[in-house]
Amino acid sequence: MVLYKLEDFEPNYRDTFEGHDIKGLGVYAQGTDEKIGTVSDVLVDDEGHFRYLVVDLGFWIFGKKVLLPLGRARIDYNVDRVYTVGLTREQAEDLPEFDERQTLDYDYEERVRGVYRQPTNYTPPVEASAPLNASAALDPLAPAPLGTTPAYARDNYTYEGEPSLYGLNEQDHQTLRLYEERLIASKRRQKTGEVTIGKHVETDTARIAVPIERERVVIERVTPADAGTAASGREADFREGEVARIEIHEETPDVRKEAFLREEVRVRKVVDQETVETQETVRREELDVNTGNLPIEER
């Protein structure tokens, strides 16, 4: 069976996990805060199924990398941790060291699986209704009787036949939270401009008609009806320097200015209401399920 590094098999694998990267997660012993290493890589089969986590044991066992079957790991993205299921320090010391320069073959994987098959505090699930007879031992895919180790063959070994190492246990199911974005509308009041209202003085030439009176002297010479009649000495009184005086008057316009109220200008604001539609791209998480041709039920 050929195994591949995750990034070699799918260079854009991070897009599938919405940006999450299993590489770099801390590995902890189940039920404790004891860190035993860090995930340095993931190995997948030719169908892309996760089979092993490559764990750098760091200072727990200095400088050693080992393989952790997926069925013995519980990934918790909420705390960015991987918890091992039933892996002891003694088992880790017995595991063959992983060397990425060497080709992984059935014999190497059997050495790895043989360590994890050793009795530990981890008890793999057993189907209670499975037949416990001699013929079952001849079938490598049949459940083994309690207290015995099933036989495996190079030619017909399948990962699905050993769910205790490569299957997901019921208690290790995780809840995936799928998020979506929604548009939330709010209003923000902002100044868009300013209107200034003032006044200024303009000049113009106004005209007004004023009737006036002017006095003038009119001298009339007339011939009296008794002209040519001799006048008595008493009537004919010749006096030198006699003068008649008449005062002459005229009116001149007297114009003054007065201010009168012409109009009032009232300034106020009114609020116009309208509905504005806007649009934006929102994201929604959808569930991707890789069944590997196995039947599943969604509820």
Side-chain angles (χ1 to χ4, degrees):
M1 300 181 186
V2 181
L3 295 176
Y4 306 89
K5 289 185 178 180
L6 178 58
E7 193 162 10
D8 294 338
F9 184 85
E10 176 52 65
N12 298 322
Y13 73 91
R14 294 178 183 84
D15 297 338
T16 305
F17 294 96
E18 299 290 341
H20 290 293
D21 194 349
I22 189 173
K23 293 194 293 185
L25 296 184
V27 180
Y28 292 78
Q30 184 182 32
T32 70
D33 286 329
E34 180 186 9
K35 184 174 182 180
I36 64 177
T38 304
V39 177
S40 64
D41 217 322
V42 181
L43 300 182
V44 301
D45 62 16
D46 52 7
E47 293 184 353
H49 298 145
F50 282 26
R51 293 310 180 191
Y52 296 99
L53 303 182
V54 180
V55 180
D56 186 345
L57 297 179
F59 292 102
W60 201 51
I61 301 177
F62 185 76
K64 185 176 183 179
K65 291 184 179 180
V66 297
L67 297 185
L68 176 66
L70 185 65
R72 293 299 179 90
R74 183 169 63 86
I75 304 170
D76 190 344
Y77 283 114
N78 294 323
V79 293
D80 291 333
R81 286 186 176 185
V82 175
Y83 292 98
T84 64
V85 180
L87 176 64
T88 65
R89 186 184 185 93
E90 290 74 18
Q91 282 181 318
E93 291 175 344
D94 292 339
L95 283 170
E97 184 172 359
F98 172 73
D99 187 350
E100 59 185 18
R101 294 171 298 181
Q102 296 179 357
T103 303
L104 298 183
D105 54 15
Y106 176 82
D107 294 332
Y108 177 85
E109 289 190 73
E110 271 298 296
R111 291 172 58 197
V112 174
R113 288 190 284 261
V115 174
Y116 286 104
R117 290 169 187 153
Q118 296 175 9
T120 63
N121 58 351
Y122 170 76
T123 302
V126 176
E127 178 62 46
S129 60
L132 301 179
N133 52 48
S135 61
L138 300 177
D139 183 2
L141 301 182
L146 292 175
T148 65
T149 300
Y152 298 99
R154 177 188 301 270
D155 297 333
N156 58 7
Y157 180 86
T158 62
Y159 294 112
E160 290 75 12
E162 201 163 8
S164 63
L165 295 183
Y166 303 103
L168 291 177
N169 298 311
E170 186 70 25
Q171 65 269 24
D172 294 334
H173 285 177
Q174 297 187 48
T175 299
L176 296 179
R177 296 184 177 182
L178 304 180
Y179 295 90
E180 69 176 6
E181 294 178 328
R182 298 180 181 178
L183 294 181
I184 306 299
S186 62
K187 296 186 292 185
R188 182 178 66 253
R189 188 178 180 88
Q190 61 182 9
K191 181 178 178 180
T192 59
E194 185 178 79
V195 177
T196 301
I197 300 176
K199 62 180 183 178
H200 66 281
V201 178
E202 292 185 356
T203 60
D204 196 3
T205 300
R207 298 180 182 275
I208 186 172
V210 181
I212 60 174
E213 295 181 352
R214 289 191 179 93
E215 296 178 342
R216 59 189 175 88
V217 176
V218 177
I219 301 175
E220 296 182 355
R221 292 186 179 186
V222 298
T223 301
D226 56 353
T229 303
S232 64
R234 200 175 39 181
E235 293 176 344
D237 184 10
F238 293 92
R239 284 181 290 183
E240 183 77 21
E242 185 178 2
V243 177
R245 297 182 180 275
I246 298 177
E247 292 184 353
I248 306 297
H249 297 86
E250 72 173 11
E251 295 176 335
T252 59
D254 183 11
V255 179
R256 71 182 189 277
K257 295 184 289 184
E258 291 185 6
F260 294 88
L261 179 63
R262 180 165 63 94
E263 64 177 333
E264 287 183 347
V265 178
R266 297 178 181 178
V267 181
R268 60 190 178 92
K269 295 190 297 183
V270 296
V271 178
D272 296 327
Q273 293 185 344
E274 62 177 320
T275 301
V276 179
E277 291 188 359
T278 184
Q279 64 181 22
E280 185 58 69
T281 301
V282 296
R283 298 174 296 174
R284 181 177 63 253
E285 295 180 334
E286 296 290 350
L287 190 64
D288 294 328
V289 180
N290 185 352
T291 65
N293 299 324
L294 296 177
I296 64 169
E297 177 183 356
E298 290 192 18
R299 297 182 179 180

